[in-house]
Amino acid sequence: MLRRPAALLSLPLIFCLCSLLHGAEIFVAPSGNDANPGTRQQPLVSFAAAQRAARAAAKEARAAVHVWFLSGTYSLPETIVFKPEDSGTADRPVVYAAAPGQDAVISGGDELHLTWKPYRDHILQAAVAADFDTDQLFVDGKPQPMARYPNYNAAAEYWNGFAADALSPARVARWSDPAGGFIHASHGAMWGSLHYRITGKDKSGKLLYEGGWQNNRPTGMHGEYRFVENIFEELDAPGEWFLDHKTHTLYFYPPAGIDPAKARIESVRLRHLIELRGAPQRPVRFVTFRGLTFEHARRTFMETREPLLRSDWRIYRGGAVLFTGCEDCALEHCTLANLGGNAVFLSDYNRRVAVRSCHIHEVGASGVAFVGDPAAVREAVFDYGRGHDYQAMDKTPGPKTDNYPAECTVEDCLIHRIGRIEKQAAGVEISMSSKIAVRHCSIYETPRAGINIGDGCWGGDVVEGCDVFDTVRETGDHGSFNSWGRDRNWDAAHPPETRTIDGKPTFVFMDAVAPVVLRNNRWRCDHGWDIDLDDGSSNFEIYDNLCLHGGLKNREGYGRIVSNNIMVGNSFHPHVWYAHSGDVFTHNIVMTEYRPIGMPAVWGKKVDENLFPNAAALKQAQKFGGDAHSIAGDPLFVDAAAGDFQVKPDSPALKIGFKNFPMNDFGVESPELRRLARQPQIGNGREATVAPESSRLWLGAQIKSVQSPEEVSATGLPRAEGVLLLEVADPSAAANAGLRRMDVVLALGGKTVADATGLEHLWKSASHDQPLVVEVYRNQSVVKLTLPPTKRVSQ
């Protein structure tokens, strides 16, 4: 006779194991009862009871344990936490799934049943319980905006509506008690967003608030792109709502055609719905969630405080589904929507965890995030401007511990409309992790990157078959794919020519120990670069990528091999390379001139055998010392208008070693997701480009106005402003004053410099017998230098 575990005997339910030879089946239904045995005819009602039953069954089952959820919504009273004792095994996994043909929703909120009464001006009111709280309201499945200014506008470019006067004294004076309201603003340099909680007003009527810690490179909030919400006096538009905690009253201005007495109205309680919490020594293993819908999790923007090394990111280490200390677990064919923070977060130690064939959308922060333990990083530094003592640093390659995600996968996932609140977000975020595979994902409608790798720790990632577009919608200086490599070898305070480790592989790949591979992807960014390898990004292999609009940027770093890519309507953007970068750029098709900024005399290891659209573009490239064997000509795309950028048999591209790669294999593969996924705008491959401003001479320096996104990015400016010093002759008056190549002149004699013409005007009108202070932007800070009271040098 089978002996049941003691833990099972303590439960009020006795379930049928059906057949231990075939595993166990446990059924859950909204009409069930936790006193039932958990059969199809007598199901359980709660997720928690099903978890207890599955835990007991897994101890005796000889095959998989399935927990089947029948159609309906399961509101969780508290987060469901899985521990090592909930684990399955390779041949006896534990699976929580929607029963075949059923739609099961796991909710972190509640359906509200309220009595509505008129208040005023189309606004209704309803009494709620004293302990009721929510930060989101959904009506018939659609999110409704908190009372806000300006009002919600789906067509607005930023924040679904923004206003410079959102915090004006006149606006603030309208609010009797704004405590509990929020300010949401773009980062001053458009590198994400900042969020503040309003705490009240002082005696003079000045607004009081706290926050702004959500970005690792903080600035003040943007002067225009901002809005306020959760303020009663701003309740003036259909769809808006406000919860008065003092009177326990919910106010709602229903949209046209909505009767709140008949509509399904839902609130939100939980930050996390599901947590799997193990440890490296005792992980949660072989637990899978399949075919479920997860929705209604609270917003977490005020908890986004933890810095990620020297990237721009700060994070909240959590999500609607959280994995930590897990092995061989999976989230498959699930929908995650209407979530206030991250959808899926893999924290610290995780191995072989997969997010597969999921639809992730309407998410407050990131879609899927992999973030390791900073204590696993050697010489971990978080402040962007802090450098290292190269002689004293730990030079051991790789991590100190194994407390980070590795060998994990995101594949065949449709991820869109993420970052609805937090703008420093990505469809997939990777930081302090290794060997993460992102395959055949469609990612679009994101405020920043579609895929972001925040550091060089520790490489080995593969991004392939993805379709990433309509990105960087609400930020700037970024790409559809973005990476940073501000690791041990990188120092913001030292320009490339002064580096003590340049050309020393044992130093430059201490953290980026394995190459990151980008292959067979389609990218499009209309507000930045299609592929953006930013500060220090090293050890990349980039091949067989179709870049539809923004081109490819390699800022300073080491060991980037870029081969056999197509840059439609754009080109290669090399920025401020190291003298011994070892970079390779070959067998690529570019459709405009190169866009170099601050480059050394010799560009890497090899830049050659590329195809240019015309002789002028080829000649420009050859002036930089490379492309001796490159050629010019029409690439003869098969059907560019239809998105087929393979080249015809007589294309000149084949003469420089280019090889065709498939054009019909980007993005999600599941039929149900392919039906839902959008496609990017293609264009004709020959978008017109704006000719750059010619340089001119000033004090022995070659200068030009800062105009392009490339120049903003290369110099680290928050916006296009000032005058860039392209080269500084030595000797010269500019060099004698301490001006350097890649400095940006922002002011002269206390007056702002708008552009090169303005600088010349200020110079000519300045007094010649007094010292003249020049303010320059260098290494992302303002430096003041003095031009001596000597005879001015003519132009």
Side-chain angles (χ1 to χ4, degrees):
M1 181 176 178
L2 184 68
R3 293 183 62 186
R4 291 185 175 85
L8 179 58
L9 297 176
S10 67
L11 299 175
L13 63 94
I14 300 176
F15 55 88
C16 176
L17 293 180
C18 300
S19 172
L20 294 182
L21 293 176
H22 298 91
E25 289 190 309
I26 301 159
F27 289 87
V28 195
S31 59
N33 190 304
D34 284 348
N36 286 342
T39 63
R40 182 74 184 243
Q41 294 73 28
Q42 294 180 289
L44 306 173
V45 71
S46 72
F47 199 129
Q51 181 194 21
R52 292 194 296 271
R55 181 183 298 169
K59 294 179 180 179
E60 299 190 31
R62 298 178 186 176
V65 174
H66 281 91
V67 176
W68 298 112
F69 289 84
L70 303 182
S71 289
T73 297
Y74 300 84
S75 295
L76 303 178
E78 59 185 8
T79 301
I80 301 294
V81 180
F82 288 79
K83 297 181 179 179
E85 50 266 35
D86 292 295
S87 296
T89 65
D91 57 348
R92 293 179 285 118
V94 179
V95 181
Y96 293 79
Q102 303 288 296
D103 294 318
V105 177
I106 311 302
S107 172
D110 295 298
E111 183 175 358
L112 303 181
H113 301 281
L114 304 173
T115 300
W116 295 96
K117 300 178 180 179
Y119 173 61
R120 60 168 173 78
D121 301 330
H122 306 289
I123 298 172
L124 303 179
Q125 61 181 340
V128 295
D131 60 350
F132 176 76
D133 187 29
T134 187
D135 63 3
Q136 294 166 86
L137 202 67
F138 299 89
V139 176
D140 291 336
K142 295 182 179 180
Q144 307 298 307
M146 281 182 171
R148 55 170 283 169
Y149 176 78
N151 292 331
Y152 183 91
N153 177 4
E157 184 176 9
Y158 302 103
W159 295 111
N160 294 121
F162 59 89
D165 69 341
L167 302 178
S168 68
R171 175 65 55 178
V172 172
R174 295 166 37 123
W175 308 334
S176 60
D177 182 11
F182 297 104
I183 304 166
H184 304 281
S186 297
H187 183 278
M190 300 299 288
W191 297 335
S193 58
L194 305 173
H195 308 267
Y196 305 82
R197 179 187 294 108
I198 298 173
T199 58
K201 295 194 291 187
D202 66 14
K203 294 180 180 179
S204 69
K206 180 182 177 181
L207 192 67
L208 303 175
Y209 50 87
E210 61 182 6
W213 46 63
Q214 293 83 4
N215 195 285
N216 201 32
R217 300 177 65 191
T219 67
M221 69 179 79
H222 197 281
E224 183 177 5
Y225 303 145
R226 54 193 183 183
F227 78 99
V228 294
E229 66 170 355
N230 202 34
I231 296 175
F232 184 57
E233 286 81 0
E234 302 299 347
L235 179 55
D236 60 0
E240 291 188 345
W241 62 277
F242 178 82
L243 174 60
D244 190 329
H245 288 89
K246 294 180 179 178
T247 64
H248 313 301
T249 304
L250 179 63
Y251 297 89
F252 181 46
Y253 190 147
I258 295 294
D259 180 357
K262 299 178 180 179
R264 181 181 176 90
I265 300 179
E266 296 166 288
S267 64
V268 173
R269 285 181 295 99
L270 302 179
R271 291 183 181 178
H272 299 180
L273 279 60
I274 302 291
E275 295 180 355
L276 291 85
R277 290 192 172 274
Q281 300 78 18
R282 193 165 177 259
V284 178
R285 306 181 71 229
F286 295 102
V287 175
T288 294
F289 304 91
R290 183 178 299 138
L292 300 168
T293 294
F294 296 93
E295 64 179 2
H296 302 156
R298 292 182 71 91
R299 305 188 300 180
T300 55
F301 56 85
M302 289 305 296
E303 309 308 317
T304 300
R305 305 181 73 143
E306 179 186 341
L308 293 184
L309 299 183
R310 290 189 284 182
S311 84
D312 295 358
W313 280 59
R314 292 195 178 188
I315 59 155
Y316 168 71
R317 196 175 281 269
V321 179
L322 171 68
F323 295 90
T324 183
C326 299
E327 293 180 354
D328 302 293
C329 294
L331 193 67
E332 299 177 341
H333 299 280
C334 290
T335 297
L336 298 98
N338 292 327
L339 304 171
N342 302 309
V344 183
F345 201 101
L346 289 90
S347 176
D348 295 341
Y349 179 86
N350 285 283
R351 296 294 184 274
R352 300 174 302 281
V353 175
V355 181
R356 185 180 295 118
S357 302
C358 290
H359 186 191
I360 301 173
H361 64 106
E362 310 305 330
V363 172
S366 291
V368 183
F370 300 86
V371 183
D373 177 10
V377 180
R378 300 181 191 275
E379 302 289 345
V381 174
F382 302 94
D383 183 359
Y384 172 89
R386 181 181 168 189
H388 281 101
D389 181 346
Y390 294 113
Q391 303 305 318
M393 74 163 56
D394 180 351
K395 300 181 182 64
T396 306
K400 291 195 294 186
T401 74
D402 63 357
N403 198 27
Y404 57 89
E407 303 172 15
C408 297
T409 304
V410 183
E411 61 181 338
D412 188 34
C413 287
L414 174 56
I415 305 174
H416 61 112
R417 288 182 63 82
I418 58 96
R420 306 306 299 158
I421 293 293
E422 301 181 53
K423 305 307 177 184
Q424 190 68 271
V428 178
E429 161 69 2
I430 301 171
S431 176
M432 298 174 285
S433 302
S434 181
K435 299 179 182 178
I436 306 301
V438 185
R439 298 191 178 102
H440 284 286
C441 292
S442 293
I443 304 174
Y444 52 87
E445 291 184 78
T446 70
R448 204 139 171 75
I451 300 173
N452 184 76
I453 298 180
D455 47 68
C457 306
W458 289 274
D461 309 317
V462 176
V463 179
E464 59 185 353
C466 291
D467 201 11
V468 186
F469 58 96
D470 199 9
T471 59
V472 195
R473 289 160 57 100
E474 296 183 73
T475 59
D477 191 10
H478 216 53
S480 287
F481 174 85
N482 182 82
S483 64
W484 291 291
R486 300 165 185 160
D487 309 317
R488 279 178 278 175
N489 77 72
W490 187 86
D491 193 337
H494 292 91
E497 58 269 22
T498 66
R499 292 174 57 81
T500 60
I501 66 169
D502 201 11
K504 299 176 181 177
T506 55
F507 282 9
V508 300
F509 298 138
M510 289 183 290
D511 292 305
V513 294
V516 173
V517 177
L518 310 182
R519 62 189 176 206
N520 296 100
N521 303 288
R522 182 167 64 183
W523 311 92
R524 180 176 179 122
C525 186
D526 290 79
H527 309 284
W529 293 272
D530 296 338
I531 299 176
D532 183 357
L533 271 58
D534 209 359
D535 300 348
S537 297
S538 297
N539 208 0
F540 276 75
E541 296 176 6
I542 302 174
Y543 58 91
D544 293 0
N545 290 274
L546 174 60
C547 298
L548 287 176
H549 188 271
L552 185 150
K553 169 189 147 191
N554 278 8
R555 198 181 157 95
E556 83 279 354
Y558 294 98
R560 285 81 59 89
I561 300 173
V562 181
S563 181
N564 214 75
N565 303 281
I566 303 171
M567 286 150 231
V568 177
N570 210 301
S571 191
F572 183 40
H573 299 250
H575 291 185
V576 294
W577 284 11
Y578 300 137
H580 302 91
S581 69
D583 284 352
V584 173
F585 185 82
T586 187
H587 308 309
N588 300 287
I589 298 175
V590 299
M591 296 304 293
T592 71
E593 295 181 344
Y594 289 159
R595 311 286 179 82
I597 298 177
M599 292 294 288
V602 177
W603 290 14
K605 183 177 180 180
K606 182 180 180 180
V607 178
D608 202 358
E609 299 178 280
N610 300 297
L611 178 67
F612 291 81
N614 52 59
L618 173 59
K619 184 177 180 181
Q620 179 250 28
Q622 291 173 335
K623 288 181 180 179
F624 301 124
D627 286 297
H629 303 95
S630 297
I631 60 177
D634 188 332
L636 300 177
F637 296 127
V638 171
D639 190 351
D644 188 350
F645 289 91
Q646 293 193 73
V647 300
K648 297 177 181 178
D650 55 343
S651 168
L654 302 175
K655 297 179 182 179
I656 51 93
F658 177 83
K659 296 180 180 180
N660 278 323
F661 54 91
M663 294 284 161
N664 59 355
D665 197 27
F666 305 117
V668 290
E669 297 180 305
S670 300
E672 64 273 19
L673 294 179
R674 289 186 71 86
R675 286 192 293 269
L676 295 172
R678 276 180 50 200
Q679 299 294 309
Q681 179 183 348
I682 299 299
N684 60 15
R686 302 181 185 280
E687 286 91 339
T689 57
V690 179
E693 173 191 89
S694 299
S695 65
R696 57 188 86 179
L697 192 66
W698 177 69
L699 301 185
Q702 290 289 334
I703 66 169
K704 71 175 297 295
S705 305
V706 175
Q707 296 175 305
S708 68
E710 294 87 351
E711 291 161 346
V712 171
S713 176
T715 56
L717 284 164
R719 63 191 65 85
E721 60 183 345
V723 174
L724 174 63
L725 276 62
L726 298 170
E727 297 292 342
V728 178
D730 189 11
S732 67
N736 292 342
L739 291 165
R740 301 177 185 172
R741 174 175 171 269
M742 296 303 294
D743 280 348
V744 177
V745 179
L746 299 178
L748 186 69
K751 297 181 179 179
T752 300
V753 172
D755 52 28
T757 299
L759 176 60
E760 290 179 341
H761 175 75
L762 288 174
W763 174 256
K764 291 175 181 177
S765 62
S767 171
H768 287 202
D769 57 359
Q770 297 291 328
L772 195 60
V773 175
V774 56
E775 296 180 26
V776 301
Y777 195 74
R778 176 186 297 168
N779 295 326
Q780 307 207 3
S781 61
V782 176
V783 178
K784 292 185 178 181
L785 304 171
T786 301
L787 295 169
T790 57
K791 183 178 179 179
R792 301 295 187 225
V793 178
S794 66
Q795 302 304 297

